[in-house]
Amino acid sequence: ITKRLFNRRNQFAFNIVPVPEDELEPTHAYSRDWERKHDLFALQYETNGERLFVFAPQQRAWAAYNEQGQLVDSGIASGGGIYCEDIGRPCLTPEGQFKITRKGSITCSSNLYRTAMPMCMFFHTRGFAIHGAEEVPGSENISHGCVRVNLHASIWLNTQFLSIGSQVLVLPYSD
């Protein structure tokens, strides 16, 4: 089964196809203590020769593609919530294509929300980032707009996979 997702302006399409777990090997040395989500993503994706991080808010999952467009890894993720009670407004992760603009360390934190954002990788001028979290709710998007991934996954993404300028693709929340 292949499903195509388009943004509101039909600027890109993304195929989601099942991938057998035994067809893929981890390409990094970190222990695999996060749940893979390879079955939600295409094995190959056109990356224009750059590394690519994809966040799929509907599936609450992320994928990493190398320069050759091969799926390297994936896992659960949580993005911005439909509504954040503490700030009284929607806080969805912005959809579209972005680039990593700066990276932080294990001590990265949010001044605005006074919360830890370990291994942060910023991709938006309004402060949205991919970052680690001790717990990532795989059942709902509940952040203030950042993309939360497993802490060990964020360490790998930050130190081994994503660089300043790497591509970030945030897919739509709905079809």
Side-chain angles (χ1 to χ4, degrees):
I1 297 172
T2 299
K3 181 177 181 182
R4 285 196 181 275
L5 297 175
F6 298 91
N7 74 358
R8 291 189 186 114
R9 296 180 259 348
N10 289 324
Q11 291 175 324
F12 57 83
F14 193 82
N15 293 322
I16 297 176
V17 296
V19 177
E21 181 75 24
D22 60 353
E23 288 185 19
L24 297 160
E25 293 295 321
T27 59
H28 51 84
Y30 284 97
S31 64
R32 299 265 317 101
D33 77 337
W34 65 88
E35 179 184 348
R36 278 188 165 153
K37 291 291 183 180
H38 285 343
D39 59 323
L40 298 176
F41 296 97
L43 279 174
Q44 283 289 140
Y45 187 75
E46 178 54 54
T47 64
N48 298 315
E50 298 179 48
R51 290 183 176 191
L52 171 67
F53 175 91
V54 177
F55 172 54
Q58 278 188 339
Q59 289 76 23
R60 289 166 304 284
W62 63 269
Y65 289 88
N66 66 16
E67 296 89 337
Q68 293 77 39
Q70 297 169 325
L71 179 63
V72 175
D73 218 332
S74 63
I76 62 170
S78 179
I82 301 298
Y83 186 80
C84 291
E85 287 187 30
D86 62 332
I87 58 174
R89 62 178 169 81
C91 45
L92 299 174
T93 305
E95 300 171 6
Q97 296 174 312
F98 308 96
K99 296 224 180 233
I100 299 292
T101 57
R102 66 187 163 101
K103 294 169 40 172
S105 69
I106 197 77
T107 62
C108 186
S109 63
S110 167
N111 293 331
L112 181 60
Y113 298 111
R114 305 217 188 280
T115 187
M117 296 172 47
M119 306 311 288
C120 57
M121 296 155 276
F122 290 91
F123 63 87
H124 194 280
T125 56
R126 290 186 10 230
F128 297 104
I130 302 157
H131 65 80
E134 289 293 328
E135 293 184 27
V136 180
S139 60
E140 59 186 327
N141 290 305
I142 61 165
S143 81
H144 286 98
C146 286
V147 178
R148 295 180 191 172
V149 300
N150 173 282
L151 183 57
H152 287 269
S154 72
I155 292 169
W156 175 73
L157 287 165
N158 187 299
T159 64
Q160 303 291 313
F161 190 76
L162 295 174
S163 303
I164 304 298
S166 293
Q167 298 180 83
V168 174
L169 175 61
V170 179
L171 297 174
Y173 277 75
S174 60
D175 292 335

